[in-house]
C-alpha cells in the first residue's frame, strides 16, 4: 500500500494553473526529495499534502483514504522558519505534542501523566542532541538548534509521513551538513517516510532515495500562468551514488541557479 | 565632527539632559509665581511651592472636617478602584474576544465590522446614557472606562493573533491540536505580553475617562476633587493633585512594563533579535 498517491492532480488559482496532471506514488520508508525552480509548484504540492490546499482536480490519497482537507497528526511538518513556538522552552515545545494528545480540555498534563510525558520529551530531545538546551527558549537557540527542535517536536506524534519544507535552507553550510546526518540517522532508525522540498539540488541527491523534479512541460510566453508544472523527472537514488549525471545538463544548471528565496 | 545622528550622550550627561526640561518648567513656574506673589500676596493662581507643600501635607494627613476621612487617600483609593476595575475587565474581555476573533474566521467575520463601528462612537457622548442606564454610582464610571479602551485593546489583540505566523498554526494542528487547544496553548499565551502592552497604551485614555466621569458625578475621587475645588480657584490643591495623578499613571505604566519582563521572559529575548 502506498502512503501517498496522487492521480491526475491539478491545482488552479483562477486562470493560473500551478500544477497539472501530477501522478505520484510514495511507498512507506521512502525518502523523497523534491527540487524545482522557484514558483514551480513544489511548495503548493507540499501544502496539498498538509491539507492546507485542496486539489482542483484529481485525487490525492493518504494510506488509501482521501487526503484530509486540514492538517492533522498523521502528517508532521518542519518549515524553514516559525516551526517552533517562541513562548515555550525547548522541552515545552516537545512536551506540547503529548499534552495536546492527552488533555483535550486543558491541554496540560498534571502529576504522573506529566512525568511520563516529560520522560518521553526528554528522550526525544536527547535523540536530536538538545539535552543541554531543554530549558532554553527558541530565541536563545541557533537556527540549526531550532530546526532540530522542530524535527523532535514533529516526531513526537509518530507521523505517517514527515513533510519538510526547505528545512535547512536558512542554515550555514556546516550546520546544514550536521542536519543532513541527523535527518538520515532519524530516517533510518525510526523507519519513517520523508517528503522533503528543497532548492538545493545536491541536498536532494545526497539525502533522498528518490528525487522528483517539478517543472513546466509547456510554456506560453504570452500567458505565463496558462500551463502548470508537473513531475518531469523521477529518479530512484542509491545513497552514496553520484546520480546527478542522470539529469540533463540544462536542467542541472537551471536548478543550481535557483535563488535562495522561495516564493509560494 | 561626527554627524549629529551619530552622537550619543554618556550616562551622566544623558540623565542630566533628561532632567533638564523638568527643571526648566519648575524654574519658570517658581519665577512666575514669585513675580505674581510680589505684586499681590493673596494671589491664588500660581501658589508658591511652600504653599502647595503645606496643602499637600494637610490633604494627606488631616481628616476632613466634613467626612472624617483623609481626603487624598480616600480620593486615591476611590479613583484607583474604579480605574483598575475598568482596566481589569477590559483586559479580560479583550483577551477573550480578541484572541477568539483573531483565530476563528467565522467569529471574525461576524464581529469585526460591529466592533469597528462600536469603536467609532465617542465614549464621552454616551456618558449621559450610562448615567441614565446605570445610575451615577460606580458602575457607570467603570462602564465608561471599559467602553473607552476595550475596542482598541480588542482590535489590537485580534491583529496580534492574526500576525502569528501561519506555520505555527499549521504546526499546532499537525501536533493534533483542536481549535480550543490552539487558542489555549498558542494564541492566548503568545498574545498575553501584547495584552500588557495594549493596556499600557490604553492607560492614558482610561485616566481621561475616569476623570471625566468623576468630574460630572461623584462623591469622591481625584477627578472629583479637582473639579470641586476649581470653584474656589484652589490651585494649591489642584496642582499637587495633578502631579499625584501623573505619578500614579507613571508608576502603573512602569509596573506593567516590569510585569511583562517578569512573566514573559521569552517575549523580551525574542524581540531583541
Amino acid at each position: 500500500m502506498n502512503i501517498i498517491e496522487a492521480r491526475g492532480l491539478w491545482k488552479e488559482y483562477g486562470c493560473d494553473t500551478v500544477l497539472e496532471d501530477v501522478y505520484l506514488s510514495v511507498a512507506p520508508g521512502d525518502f523523497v526529495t523534491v527540487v524545482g525552480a522557484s514558483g514551480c509548484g513544489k511548495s503548493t504540492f507540499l501544502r496539498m499534502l498538509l491539507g492546507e490546499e485542496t486539489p482542483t482536480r484529481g485525487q490525492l490519497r493518504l494510506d488509501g483514504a482521501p487526503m484530509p482537507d486540514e492538517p492533522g497528526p498523521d502528517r508532521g511538518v518542519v518549515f524553514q522558519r516559525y516551526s517552533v513556538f517562541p513562548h515555550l522552552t525547548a522541552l515545552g515545545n516537545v512536551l506540547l505534542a503529548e499534552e495536546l494528545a492527552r488533555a483535550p480540555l486543558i491541554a496540560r498534563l498534571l502529576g504522573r501523566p506529566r512525568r511520563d510525558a516529560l520522560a518521553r520529551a526528554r528522550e526525544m530531545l536527547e535523540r536530536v542532541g538538545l539535552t543541554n538546551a531543554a530549558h532554553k527558549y527558541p530565541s536563545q537557540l541557533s537556527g540549526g538548534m531550532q530546526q532540530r527542535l522542530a524535527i523532535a517536536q514533529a516526531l513526537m506524534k509518530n507521523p505517517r509521513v514527515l513533510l519538510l519544507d526547505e528545512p535547512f535552507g536558512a542554515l550555514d553550510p556546516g550546520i546544514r551538513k550536521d542536519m543532513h546526518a541527523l535527518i538520515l540517522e532519524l530516517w533510518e532508525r525510526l523507519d519513517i517516510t520523508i517528503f522533503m522540498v528543497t532548492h538545493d539540488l545536491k541536498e536532494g541527491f545526497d539525502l533522498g532515495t528518490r528525487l522528483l523534479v517539478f517543472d513546466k512541460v509547456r510554456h506560453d510566453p504570452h500567458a505565463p500562468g496558462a500551463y502548470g508544472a508537473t513531475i518531469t523527472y523521477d529518479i530512484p537514488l542509491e545513497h552514496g551514488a553520484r546520480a546527478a549525471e542522470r539529469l540533463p545538463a540544462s536542467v542541472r544548471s537551471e536548478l543550481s541557479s535557483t535563488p535562495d528565496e522561495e516564493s509560494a | 565632527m561626527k554627524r549629529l545622528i551619530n552622537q550619543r550622550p554618556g550616562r551622566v550627561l544623558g540623565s542630566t539632559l533628561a532632567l533638564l526640561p523638568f527643571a526648566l518648567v519648575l524654574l519658570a513656574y517658581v519665577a512666575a509665581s514669585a513675580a505674581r506673589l510680589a505684586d499681590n500676596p493673596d494671589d491664588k493662581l500660581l501658589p508658591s511651592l511652600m504653599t502647595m507643600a503645606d496643602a499637600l501635607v494637610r490633604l494627606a494627613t488631616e481628616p476632613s472636617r466634613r467626612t472624617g476621612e483623609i481626603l487624598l487617600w480616600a480620593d486615591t483609593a476611590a479613583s484607583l478602584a474604579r480605574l483598575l476595575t475598568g482596566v481589569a475587565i477590559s483586559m479580560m474581555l479583550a483577551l477573550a474576544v480578541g484572541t477568539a476573533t483573531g483565530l476563528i474566521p467565522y467569529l471574525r467575520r461576524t464581529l469585526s465590522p460591529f466592533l469597528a463601528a462600536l469603536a467609532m462612537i465617542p465614549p464621552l457622548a454616551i456618558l449621559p446614557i450610562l448615567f441614565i442606564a446605570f445610575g451615577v454610582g460606580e458602575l457607570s464610571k467603570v462602564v465608561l472606562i471599559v467602553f473607552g479602551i476595550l475596542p482598541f485593546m480588542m482590535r489590537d489583540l485580534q491583529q496580534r493573533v492574526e500576525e502569528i505566523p501561519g506555520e505555527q498554526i499549521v504546526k499546532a494542528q499537525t501536533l493534533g491540536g483542536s481549535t480550543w487547544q490552539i487558542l489555549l496553548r498558542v494564541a492566548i499565551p503568545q498574545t498575553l505580553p501584547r495584552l500588557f502592552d495594549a493596556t499600557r497604551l490604553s492607560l492614558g485614555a482610561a485616566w481621561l475617562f475616569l476623570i471625566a466621569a468623576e468630574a460630572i458625578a461623584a462623591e469622591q475621587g481625584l477627578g472629583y476633587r479637582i473639579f470641586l475645588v476649581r470653584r474656589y480657584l484652589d490651585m494649591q490643591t489642584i496642582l499637587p493633585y495633578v502631579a499625584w495623578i501623573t505619578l500614579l499613571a507613571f508608576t502603573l505604566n512602569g509596573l506593567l512594563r516590569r510585569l511583562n519582563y517578569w512573566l514573559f521572559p521569552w517575549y523580551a529575548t525574542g524581540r531583541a533579535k
Side-chain angles (χ1 to χ4, degrees), chain B residues 130-148:
Chain B
L130 297 182
F131 281 144
I132 293 166
F134 302 114
V136 290
E138 300 301 302
L139 187 58
S140 55
K141 298 177 190 68
V142 171
V143 173
L144 179 71
I145 295 173
V146 173
F147 196 88

Side-chain angles (χ1 to χ4, degrees), chain A residues 3-5 45 47-55 59-70 74-75 161 163:
Chain A
I3 283 200
I4 297 170
E5 182 94 50
F45 188 68
R47 278 212 298 278
M48 284 200 272
L49 293 179
L50 261 177
E52 271 194 286
E53 305 263 1
T54 47
Q59 279 190 332
L60 188 58
R61 293 179 163 272
L62 178 74
D63 278 325
M67 183 66 74
D69 57 2
E70 62 175 0
D74 43 6
R75 287 148 293 152
V161 51
L163 305 170

Side-chain angles (χ1 to χ4, degrees), chain A residues 109-178:
Chain A
L109 292 171
L110 304 163
R112 201 188 148 76
R114 179 177 166 82
R115 279 196 299 279
D116 295 347
L118 271 174
R120 253 205 88 198
R122 288 220 172 82
E123 198 180 308
M124 190 56 85
L125 281 184
E126 193 189 335
R127 195 166 265 180
V128 298
L130 285 180
T131 307
N132 293 327
H135 297 289
K136 287 190 172 164
Y137 288 100
S139 58
Q140 298 166 308
L141 302 177
S142 68
M145 288 163 94
Q146 287 187 24
Q147 292 307 76
R148 282 170 188 267
L149 178 58
I151 292 169
Q153 193 183 35
L155 290 177
M156 283 293 279
K157 304 301 291 189
N158 297 318
R160 290 292 291 148
V161 51
L162 181 62
L163 305 170
L164 306 175
D165 191 2
E166 305 196 7
F168 315 132
L171 303 180
D172 295 333
I175 309 280
R176 208 181 294 188
K177 242 190 178 118
D178 296 345

